[in-house]
Amino acid sequence: MTLAPNMHSKPLAWWKKATAYQIYPRSFYDTNQDGIGDINGIIAKLDYLADLGIDLIWICPFYASPNDDNGYDISDYQAIHPDFGTLEDVDELISAAHKRGIRIIMDLVINHTSDEHPWFIESRDNKNSPKRDWYIWRDGCEPTAEKPTCDPNNWESIFHGSAWEYDKKTAQYYLHLFSKKQPDLNWENPEVKQALFKMIYWWLERGIDGFRVDAISHIQKQPGLPSLPNPKGEKYVSSFDYHMNVAGIEKHLHELKEQAFDPFNIVTVGEANGVTADNALLWVAEATEHDQGGVFNMIFQFEHMKLWSEEQSNVPLDLVEFKRILSRWQDALEGKGWNALYLENHDQARSIDTFADPTSRYASATALASCYFLMKGTPFIYQGQEIGMVNHQFTSLDEFNDVSARNLIQKLSQQGQSDADILALLNQVSRDHSRLPMQWNAQDFAGFSEVQPWFSVNQQYADINVEQQQKDPNSILSFYKQLIALRKSNVSLVVGRYQLLLPNDPNIYAYQRVAQDMTWTIITNLSPQESIVDIDRMQLGELMLDNQNINNEHVRSDFIATQIAPPYAAYIFARKH
Ligand code: GLC
Ligand code: CA
């Protein structure tokens, strides 16, 4: 067997073996009874995470922020929002995690700041401010009743409405790809980069283990900021083509890597909307003797997810397409880079509702888990996914918290859509579904807090919670634990090459992980129909784990004899060579 010289000769990086867990701190666990999750709440649950088998935690922003986008609008990178605690609490969290062998990565939000950040306040003050050019200011004219839009161009914000905000004080507009309280930093200005790199150093010297790098594919804008073609004559035009993974971004990314990341031995995961399997290597190739490689250790790609989607998602999953996308990523990075594997995060509705069937919750959750978790890459679990948390049923439009949902409601109402239609849409796609409090037990407020939490609690918490699932060997939580343990104790599940089986089967996602001494076969039925699995049974070997529970009792699977997979069945086989 020939080994790719760039990878297998090196010892396996710790983060390749790791299982990662994402925390949305506002909704994880409240220890001081103000209804808001806090840093001490993360510390309090470290034993839970260690017991689950987690090695790496990514925590969403807990910096000072006016909370327009729940912390993704930062007003001081080096201060902690008092809702969450203090810097000392963060130091304590880092050391308490490290004691348990768990590493911590933080969210690095450097495409934009809050409009309340001192840099922006200074920038906004006057046209000759030394920080004027730290943000993106352009001329336009003052909006009036006759001429309501005279923005510098026709770009639509990712959070709906114009991407420009008029600022009376200096009679210019500033660019904000996200909310108007998130002005974009100007990455063409070297001072901006130096200020950001200095801040990154400060955090790394505090002992954190790396970063998830927010919205980083948006830092380069189309030079000249031209308007988009507008054949439909829309007010604003979806502008991703002119600010997402735009040519020229590489130079900024390499500076970030060389000047801020390389001096430290850390792990980095870029959020890379718009990066496709074809250009992935620019982002995540491992360095070789001849090539400096990419920028991040891994990226979150979005090709298999609908990010910022406004479309009704009640069309069933196109499994053949889903397999094609994920397999392209697996193949493109084989021996050259590393995947970050995920189905959920704080920007997505819950995966059971999006990809499977919430009426068969156990089977759906465990089949989805088996399917994505054992692909080649580092698996990420989003808080609550490990207990099969599902979407909330919102009953009125004022219940939504997310700034992007609120802007969408305004936009669709103006376009004449009924409240009922907008509610139905958001009940499927809203980011708020994943931001409800974590469900720890069946007590009031799901054991998240003793007081009314900052946000609604999912109606189903009495049936879906950690405490109950810890007691039950056939729970979703127990299944996740087994999956994590299986991957931890079998390096072949970390290094084995991915090979898709049955590419055109519309119901079955089956693949192998082929290593030197072992071949794993993972078979999942991701459909509500019973399906025959057309795989040579001699290839399978021993059944290591399956999700065949009936009335909460594990039943012996007769899959090998029948090769019939019930709806949302999952089987994991291993064969020694
Ligand atoms: C990223 C974050 C999202 C945030 C946005 C703006 O996509 O994941 O939650 O709203 O960036 O910072
Ligand atoms: Ca609190």
Side-chain angles (χ1 to χ4, degrees):
M1 174 175 157
T2 48
L3 297 176
N6 56 337
M7 284 188 82
H8 299 282
S9 44
K10 283 197 269 169
L12 204 52
W14 66 267
W15 44 265
K16 292 188 176 172
K17 293 182 265 185
T19 297
Y21 189 91
Q22 182 193 349
I23 291 180
Y24 197 70
R26 184 159 286 272
S27 300
F28 192 57
Y29 187 53
D30 175 23
T31 55
N32 64 344
Q33 312 315 332
D34 61 357
I36 300 172
D38 39 55
I39 311 266
N40 281 328
I42 304 176
I43 299 175
K45 296 297 181 184
L46 283 174
D47 285 332
Y48 165 72
L49 296 173
D51 181 57
L52 183 59
I54 299 304
D55 313 284
L56 171 65
I57 301 175
W58 150 31
I59 308 173
C60 288
F62 46 54
Y63 314 91
S65 163
N67 268 332
D68 185 58
D69 187 20
N70 280 348
Y72 280 92
D73 47 321
I74 298 172
S75 52
D76 184 347
Y77 287 104
Q78 281 152 266
I80 305 303
H81 194 298
D83 281 352
F84 296 123
T86 62
L87 262 177
E88 289 66 45
D89 295 340
V90 174
D91 290 340
E92 170 60 23
L93 168 65
I94 297 168
S95 92
H98 287 173
K99 265 189 218 132
R100 292 164 174 85
I102 297 177
R103 274 131 158 150
I104 304 271
I105 65 175
M106 290 180 20
D107 223 300
L108 183 64
V109 187
I110 51 180
N111 174 70
H112 45 267
T113 66
S114 162
D115 65 339
E116 297 181 34
H117 193 291
W119 297 344
F120 188 75
I121 295 174
E122 213 184 312
S123 179
R124 166 182 245 174
D125 186 62
N126 68 76
K127 279 187 174 172
N128 299 318
S129 153
K131 295 220 167 43
R132 186 64 170 182
D133 185 51
W134 282 38
Y135 294 83
I136 302 171
W137 292 96
R138 290 293 181 275
D139 287 332
C141 60
E142 185 166 9
T144 58
E146 299 81 65
K147 202 161 188 269
T149 52
C150 39
D151 303 359
N153 68 27
N154 64 6
W155 295 7
E156 178 171 45
S157 150
I158 295 172
F159 286 172
H160 316 290
S162 173
W164 295 94
E165 183 69 8
Y166 184 72
D167 203 41
K168 264 200 152 72
K169 184 148 192 215
T170 53
Q172 278 197 319
Y173 285 78
Y174 64 86
L175 179 70
H176 60 90
L177 295 184
F178 295 91
S179 97
K180 63 177 181 217
K181 286 184 67 63
Q182 293 169 300
D184 281 56
L185 284 161
N186 177 14
W187 274 73
E188 305 298 339
N189 182 321
E191 286 175 19
V192 169
K193 293 191 230 191
Q194 289 315 313
L196 291 173
F197 299 165
K198 211 168 120 198
M199 174 276 287
I200 293 173
Y201 263 66
W202 185 86
W203 273 109
L204 289 173
E205 277 167 351
R206 261 196 131 80
I208 62 157
D209 302 293
F211 292 110
R212 175 265 188 184
V213 191
D214 185 70
I216 196 67
S217 56
H218 298 289
I219 57 174
Q220 171 75 50
K221 280 72 177 172
Q222 186 75 25
L225 312 180
S227 275
L228 287 128
N230 189 3
K232 289 193 236 147
E234 289 163 303
K235 199 164 169 195
Y236 309 112
V237 184
S238 167
S239 55
F240 286 100
D241 285 353
Y242 283 1
H243 60 64
M244 186 173 72
N245 200 14
V246 166
I249 194 168
E250 325 75 60
K251 72 171 191 295
H252 301 307
L253 294 176
H254 278 281
E255 275 175 70
L256 173 65
K257 172 178 189 285
E258 281 144 32
Q259 296 187 39
F261 297 159
D262 276 355
F264 296 86
N265 180 20
I266 54 168
V267 62
T268 57
V269 194
E271 190 203 18
N273 195 14
V275 176
T276 62
D278 295 332
N279 51 36
L281 289 175
L282 287 172
W283 289 72
V284 290
E286 296 198 1
T288 65
E289 268 173 55
H290 316 288
D291 188 284
Q292 61 174 338
V295 177
F296 301 102
N297 296 122
M298 306 171 247
I299 53 175
F300 290 119
Q301 59 86 14
F302 284 91
E303 290 194 281
H304 67 306
M305 304 292 277
K306 289 187 193 149
L307 186 70
W308 318 126
S309 167
E310 295 163 31
E311 281 149 43
Q312 291 278 44
S313 60
N314 46 8
V315 275
L317 170 69
D318 179 350
L319 190 66
V320 172
E321 175 65 4
F322 187 74
K323 291 193 277 193
R324 198 186 60 80
I325 294 171
L326 288 174
S327 302
R328 266 161 48 92
W329 277 89
Q330 292 282 315
D331 295 341
L333 299 192
E334 175 58 35
K336 296 184 183 133
W338 197 252
N339 275 290
L341 310 169
Y342 75 100
L343 287 182
E344 289 192 16
N345 61 35
H346 65 294
D347 293 328
Q348 301 285 343
R350 291 289 181 176
S351 60
I352 296 177
D353 299 79
T354 306
F355 296 108
D357 176 5
T359 64
S360 357
R361 202 159 38 80
Y362 173 83
S364 292
T366 50
L368 286 170
S370 307
C371 177
Y372 92 100
F373 194 90
L374 296 179
M375 290 183 196
K376 189 166 184 172
T378 299
F380 282 73
I381 298 168
Y382 178 70
Q383 69 185 43
Q385 183 183 342
E386 78 276 24
I387 54 170
M389 278 177 67
V390 291
N391 283 354
H392 185 61
Q393 284 310 306
F394 292 92
T395 52
S396 108
L397 292 178
D398 356 293
E399 285 173 52
F400 292 94
N401 167 272
D402 171 22
V403 57
S404 119
R406 293 197 314 264
N407 290 349
L408 183 63
I409 293 169
Q410 201 187 356
K411 169 174 143 178
L412 297 180
S413 303
Q414 277 165 4
Q415 289 173 0
Q417 284 209 28
S418 72
D419 285 6
D421 285 352
I422 302 173
L423 184 63
L425 170 67
L426 288 174
N427 262 327
Q428 290 183 357
V429 301
S430 171
R431 305 197 291 175
D432 278 332
H433 291 295
S434 56
R435 300 174 176 192
L436 267 56
M438 176 72 183
Q439 291 155 211
W440 293 105
N441 59 41
Q443 288 159 29
D444 285 352
F445 314 122
F448 162 75
S449 176
E450 286 165 20
V451 302
Q452 182 70 48
W454 72 278
F455 201 20
S456 325
V457 176
N458 190 297
Q459 296 93 334
Q460 298 195 46
Y461 73 89
D463 298 327
I464 309 175
N465 65 66
V466 170
E467 190 177 271
Q468 171 222 39
Q469 294 196 20
Q470 278 174 325
K471 292 188 217 138
D472 175 2
N474 297 313
S475 64
I476 298 170
L477 182 63
S478 300
F479 190 88
Y480 262 97
K481 265 191 175 174
Q482 292 175 71
L483 213 48
I484 295 168
L486 198 64
R487 188 174 179 277
K488 225 182 261 289
S489 53
N490 290 283
V491 75
S492 46
L493 282 173
V494 179
V495 300
R497 185 167 40 80
Y498 168 96
Q499 197 174 309
L500 180 67
L501 305 172
L502 310 175
N504 298 318
D505 191 300
N507 300 337
I508 302 293
Y509 198 142
Y511 61 93
Q512 291 184 317
R513 298 292 310 281
V514 185
Q516 227 156 6
D517 56 339
M518 192 89 117
T519 293
W520 293 83
T521 305
I522 292 96
I523 300 171
T524 55
N525 180 356
L526 294 187
S527 83
Q529 288 106 40
E530 183 176 280
S531 296
I532 304 249
V533 182
D534 188 13
I535 295 176
D536 173 10
R537 71 188 69 182
M538 301 305 288
Q539 284 191 33
L540 298 177
E542 192 186 340
L543 182 59
M544 306 297 285
L545 183 63
D546 68 60
N547 69 350
Q548 292 311 288
N549 288 355
I550 296 175
N551 298 330
N552 216 30
E553 291 283 321
H554 188 248
V555 289
R556 240 191 96 227
S557 161
D558 50 9
F559 177 78
I560 299 212
T562 62
Q563 298 206 214
I564 294 174
Y568 300 104
Y571 306 97
I572 297 163
F573 291 94
R575 180 170 58 88
K576 279 216 160 70
H577 301 165

